[in-house]
Amino acid sequence: MGQKEAFWTGIIAIGDTSFGDSGKGKITDIAAESAHLTVRVNGGANAGHTVFNKFGEFKFHLIPSGIFNPRNVNYLSNGVLIDPVRLKDEVIELRERGVEVNMLNLRVSEAAHGVFTWHKVKDRLQEERRGKDRIGTTHQGVGPAAAQRTERSGLRMKDLILPEKKLKKKFDEEIASQEQFLQLLSRDNKKGQKKKQKSELLDRDTIWKELREASDVIGPMIGKINQDIWEAQDRGENIVLELAQGALLDPFYGEYPYVTTTHPGIGGVTVYTGINSRDIHRAIGVTKSYLTRVGEGTMPTELTDGVGDAIRNRGKEFGTTTGRPRRIGWFDVPLVRYGIRVGGFDTIALTKTDVLDELDVINVCTGYLIDGEEVTDIDTIDTDFLKKAEPIYTPKKGWQKETTGARSFEELPKENQEYILFLQDELGVPLQLVSVGPDREQTIYRAS
Ligand code: IMP
């Protein structure tokens, strides 16, 4: 077995050590080339991943990246919060662009909770109400849907395949109670505003029609999935577990409340997919060569100058889901090391090093000054703590050479190699993959 094949054999989990958007889509797409199963673990349409391959460029929110491999069966696990209309749109787009999607290669867990228009309206109204304390959510309704799952109410994928009359009854009850609540929220938000606005928040007929269309398309894919996954595991097949968001956005370990609602670390695998995380052979933490964040929250190394703008433009750092410009910062070792620990990753895939190609100096934050004391290891990223953190930088010499054509570590400029080895040393885990561009081929494997 060659190095590449060996790397992707077994149960491979792929997550993000930081705030998401590190390029998991590309890494998962490569992993899925050798996989029999790709299981999306968590998140919802708040996630966005870009895949660039022979079919073109795709921006997905829900569909697992293994959809391009004809031998792959793709699963949306119990833990994914599924917007059926978005999922239907993605299925149709893929079909229109020549990619086969059917009930044989896409399976949707009947136990997964649904995300509907009312969740998105609630997400938006709650953010409006928070005002300057807003979280900066993606407005995809994932938080409100997760809250409903915890409350044990709402509609699941299972409901979408009920006989039409039964589904309509459930839908009517649900939308009526949601409408009431949203009206209250909306009225509250508008207190003090002179002009009265349109009171109808949910257009029931349109929402019902969209839901029916979505269930026609995705209904055949909905069913039980656990046994299939366990059987594949027992047969020793290659399974890719595709996590969404990033470990620093974990609802328990992130900078609450500036967090997402499902667990983006390896711990999520056990809870959401039924595969025990102890059975994972490789837990890859995808890490970008600099830091980005979308939404609110603290970012000690944030760059608000021209360097930040240059990195944003060269790295095309605009949200896949929202289009928002991403906040940019220097690589932050204490944060990423914390993300690796709470995320449970054992190896690193470093992405987008080529974005730094033109810089003459690249700073790496290797510690913080907090109340006059130097701190390198952190056990919280609470706002009160992070706000006090003044980054201590170790400047690294830039390589100022194009690296997108490199296919081995040795082909990278010396300073680039040094940057990578420096990060590996600081992070304390093997850095086995380096990505120098969006194509599958622009990936360098390193022996651990
Ligand atoms: P929500 O998940 O839409 O509720 O947003 C909560 C926080 O997580 C916000 O800061 C979002 O910008 C962030 N977030 C959610 N999904 C992603 C993602 O896939 N990548 C990066 N940030 C995300």
Side-chain angles (χ1 to χ4, degrees):
M1 201 186 286
Q3 185 193 20
K4 284 188 198 173
E5 206 185 333
F7 191 85
W8 299 116
T9 297
I11 302 183
I12 313 281
I14 302 172
D16 180 310
T17 63
S18 313
F19 296 110
D21 309 318
S22 293
K24 281 186 300 290
K26 165 182 163 166
I27 305 297
T28 314
D29 181 51
I30 298 175
E33 274 188 296
S34 325
H36 304 100
L37 258 67
T38 303
V39 185
R40 166 74 182 269
V41 179
N42 69 306
N46 50 350
H49 51 265
T50 307
V51 177
F52 195 73
N53 59 24
K54 69 171 184 205
F55 295 96
E57 190 186 22
F58 291 84
K59 290 185 187 298
F60 289 148
H61 303 280
L62 286 162
I63 297 244
S65 307
I67 204 73
F68 298 104
N69 174 351
R71 285 179 297 115
N72 222 280
V73 187
N74 296 272
Y75 290 86
L76 292 178
S77 81
N78 299 16
V80 185
L81 291 149
I82 302 175
D83 177 340
V85 178
R86 294 296 292 272
L87 181 59
K88 176 217 64 178
D89 289 345
E90 289 184 15
V91 168
I92 289 179
E93 187 195 334
L94 278 161
R95 286 178 178 162
E96 283 173 359
R97 294 175 66 183
V99 183
E100 182 95 22
V101 188
N102 54 45
M103 59 181 289
L104 297 177
N105 70 349
L106 182 62
R107 309 288 307 145
V108 177
S109 170
E110 62 176 27
H113 236 75
V115 183
F116 303 94
T117 308
W118 45 89
H119 295 122
K120 290 186 252 186
V121 175
K122 187 171 175 192
D123 201 347
R124 180 175 52 76
L125 291 175
Q126 282 179 320
E127 282 284 84
E128 256 173 49
R129 182 199 190 107
R130 290 180 188 119
K132 68 172 183 24
D133 294 325
R134 69 186 174 275
I135 295 166
T137 74
T138 57
H139 290 188
Q140 291 304 313
V142 171
Q148 251 203 315
R149 176 168 62 189
T150 307
E151 280 174 8
R152 284 139 297 169
S153 63
L155 302 176
R156 297 192 296 165
M157 289 304 106
K158 201 181 174 135
D159 296 313
L160 299 195
I161 49 175
L162 283 172
E164 177 151 350
K165 239 172 133 183
K166 281 196 175 158
L167 173 59
K168 183 70 167 69
K169 186 165 175 287
K170 279 203 167 197
F171 172 86
D172 285 341
E173 283 167 10
E174 183 65 18
I175 203 163
S177 80
Q178 293 285 345
E179 176 76 46
Q180 252 181 2
F181 180 80
L182 294 176
Q183 289 294 356
L184 285 177
L185 196 59
S186 162
R187 213 170 305 148
D188 222 38
N189 282 0
K190 291 193 187 104
K191 260 190 200 146
Q193 283 184 12
K194 285 205 186 86
K195 209 170 140 226
K196 284 267 170 292
Q197 294 188 9
K198 189 170 165 262
S199 64
E200 193 65 10
L201 285 161
L202 301 171
D203 173 351
R204 295 184 188 202
D205 292 342
T206 307
I207 298 172
W208 170 248
K209 192 168 153 278
E210 283 175 355
L211 186 62
R212 289 290 304 118
E213 283 167 8
S215 56
D216 281 349
V217 175
I218 64 167
M221 300 162 187
I222 298 173
K224 294 188 172 55
I225 63 165
N226 299 345
Q227 194 62 29
D228 283 4
I229 295 178
W230 290 331
E231 282 175 8
Q233 187 181 355
D234 292 345
R235 287 194 297 272
E237 292 185 353
N238 293 342
I239 301 179
V240 174
L241 301 165
E242 181 174 20
L243 289 150
Q245 283 90 40
L248 298 178
L249 290 171
D250 185 277
F252 294 174
Y253 294 96
E255 189 192 356
Y256 182 89
Y258 306 106
V259 293
T260 190
T261 49
T262 59
H263 297 289
I266 296 299
V269 169
T270 310
V271 183
Y272 301 132
T273 70
I275 291 184
N276 198 302
S277 57
R278 70 165 176 249
D279 296 329
I280 292 172
H281 297 102
R282 208 183 288 277
I284 304 176
V286 184
T287 306
K288 200 150 45 183
S289 304
Y290 47 94
L291 197 67
T292 62
R293 183 168 194 171
V294 278
E296 306 302 315
T298 320
M299 198 175 166
T301 64
E302 183 160 12
L303 285 162
T304 48
D305 58 4
V307 179
D309 293 339
I311 295 176
R312 181 179 303 107
N313 291 330
R314 192 172 154 106
K316 301 195 178 72
E317 297 293 355
F318 298 89
T320 318
T321 304
T322 57
R324 290 181 283 186
R326 294 181 184 137
R327 298 158 68 192
I328 311 284
W330 293 120
F331 197 99
D332 188 330
V333 172
L335 270 190
V336 176
R337 211 160 38 206
Y338 176 83
I340 291 171
R341 167 154 271 197
V342 300
F345 303 109
D346 54 33
T347 187
I348 295 296
L350 187 71
T351 56
K352 292 190 148 181
T353 54
D354 56 295
V355 171
L356 306 180
D357 279 356
E358 286 169 4
L359 301 181
D360 54 348
V361 176
I362 302 166
N363 284 323
V364 180
C365 166
T366 45
Y368 301 136
L369 211 55
I370 295 182
D371 296 332
E373 286 215 19
E374 197 175 322
V375 174
T376 50
D377 274 313
I378 57 176
D379 62 1
T380 174
I381 56 168
D382 194 65
T383 307
D384 296 338
F385 173 81
L386 274 191
K387 281 253 184 279
K388 289 197 282 187
E390 285 172 50
I392 302 170
Y393 289 115
T394 303
K396 306 301 291 177
K397 197 169 176 312
W399 41 95
Q400 296 186 289
K401 285 189 191 85
E402 178 84 17
T403 58
T404 50
R407 296 293 175 267
S408 71
F409 190 66
E410 293 65 38
E411 284 173 54
L412 291 171
K414 190 169 75 32
E415 294 84 357
N416 193 354
Q417 293 185 14
E418 278 169 15
Y419 184 70
I420 293 165
L421 294 176
F422 179 76
L423 294 185
Q424 174 174 257
D425 259 16
E426 288 287 322
L427 296 177
V429 279
L431 196 162
Q432 294 179 297
L433 289 182
V434 180
S435 168
V436 292
D439 280 336
R440 283 176 181 171
E441 293 67 38
Q442 291 173 300
T443 310
I444 294 169
Y445 291 76
R446 293 189 62 241
S448 52

